[in-house]
Structure formats: C-alpha cells, structure tokens
Amino acid sequence: MNSQKKIIFPLFIIFLFLSASLSLSKTILGKWGIDYNVLLVANALFFLVSLGVFFMQKKALNHNNPNVFIRIVMAGMLIKMGVCVFAVIIYRLVAGNSVNKVSVFVAMFLYLLYLAVEVRVIMKLNRQKNA
C-alpha cells in the first residue's frame, strides 16, 4: 500500500465500519426512533468533508511557515461546522415538521468520531514530519 493510501486508510475504515453498522442495525435504529437515512447521509457527508479538509491540512503541514498549518486547521474546523449547519438547515427545509432530532444528535456523534480519527492521523503525520 503506498503512503497516500496508507494515510487516508483510517478515514475509509471508519466510513465503511459506520456504513456497515448502520445497515446492519437498521431495524434497531427504527425501534429507537432514529432515522437510518439521515445517519447514512450524514456518514457520507462527514466522510467527504473530512477527506477534503484532511488533504488541505496535509498540504499545509509541508509548508515552511507553521502558521499556515494552524490557519488551515482553523479553516477546516470552520468548513466542517458550516457544512454541518448547512446540512441541518437543508434537512429541516426538506423534512418540514417531521425532523428527527435524535437522528441529528446521533449524526453529531458521527461528526465527533470523524474528527477524532482525522486529528489522530494529522498528529501522526506531524510527528513523522518532525522526526
């Protein structure tokens, strides 16, 4: 496996694991009142946004000025939060009064999982760069 694929492998693993888990627990989620489709869309959205922000951060990590990396990390957080807010607004507009608040909160937990994986990978890359 080349280094580029090896770096983003944890993001793919979390995406595949969550997709499989959601698919297998569709009936259980329904019993708890959680909308399976909202979580699937949120999983795909967080994966794509995390992948995009990760590549921005990886590029900034190699910049001569360390402030560039800090600015990109902050911009990445702003992008992810903006996408989350935009997605919730779009969901509210599409779903009308049938918004499933529990699903939105579970989706925010998925966001935290993606954030943890992304931070772990970036910290690992930073240690390799400084070593």
Side-chain angles (χ1 to χ4, degrees), residues 44-82:
L45 181 69
F46 293 143
F47 171 69
L48 293 174
V49 171
S50 292
L51 203 58
V53 169
F54 173 76
F55 284 123
M56 288 173 35
Q57 291 173 349
K58 183 177 177 289
K59 183 178 177 183
L61 194 60
N62 295 324
H63 201 277
N64 293 337
N65 187 352
N67 293 326
V68 171
F69 177 68
I70 299 300
R71 284 193 303 259
I72 293 295
V73 168
M74 298 305 278
M77 289 173 56
L78 186 62
I79 289 169
K80 286 189 274 187
M81 287 306 239

Side-chain angles (χ1 to χ4, degrees), residues 20 24 27-28 30 36 38 41 44 47 53 55 63-64 66 72 76 78 81 87 103-104 106 113 120 125-126 128:
L24 293 175
T27 57
I28 295 171
Y36 159 79
V38 171
V41 169
F47 171 69
V53 169
F55 284 123
H63 201 277
N64 293 337
I72 293 295
L78 186 62
M81 287 306 239
S103 298
V104 173
V106 173
L113 286 175
R120 194 185 89 214
L125 283 175
N126 193 26
Q128 288 176 354

Side-chain angles (χ1 to χ4, degrees), residues 61 119-131:
L61 194 60
V119 167
R120 194 185 89 214
V121 170
I122 284 294
M123 294 296 287
K124 183 178 177 182
L125 283 175
N126 193 26
R127 273 186 261 134
Q128 288 176 354
K129 178 186 174 234
N130 292 333

Side-chain angles (χ1 to χ4, degrees), residues 79-96:
I79 289 169
K80 286 189 274 187
M81 287 306 239
V83 167
C84 288
V85 169
F86 186 69
V88 170
I89 290 171
I90 294 296
Y91 174 55
R92 171 65 173 99
L93 292 174
V94 170

Side-chain angles (χ1 to χ4, degrees), residues 11-40:
L11 285 174
F12 280 113
I13 290 297
I14 192 97
F15 173 72
L16 293 174
F17 175 76
L18 288 173
S19 295
S21 297
L22 291 172
S23 295
L24 293 175
S25 61
K26 185 177 181 178
T27 57
I28 295 171
L29 293 173
K31 288 179 184 176
W32 291 342
I34 298 172
D35 190 355
Y36 159 79
N37 294 320
V38 171
L39 296 181
L40 266 179

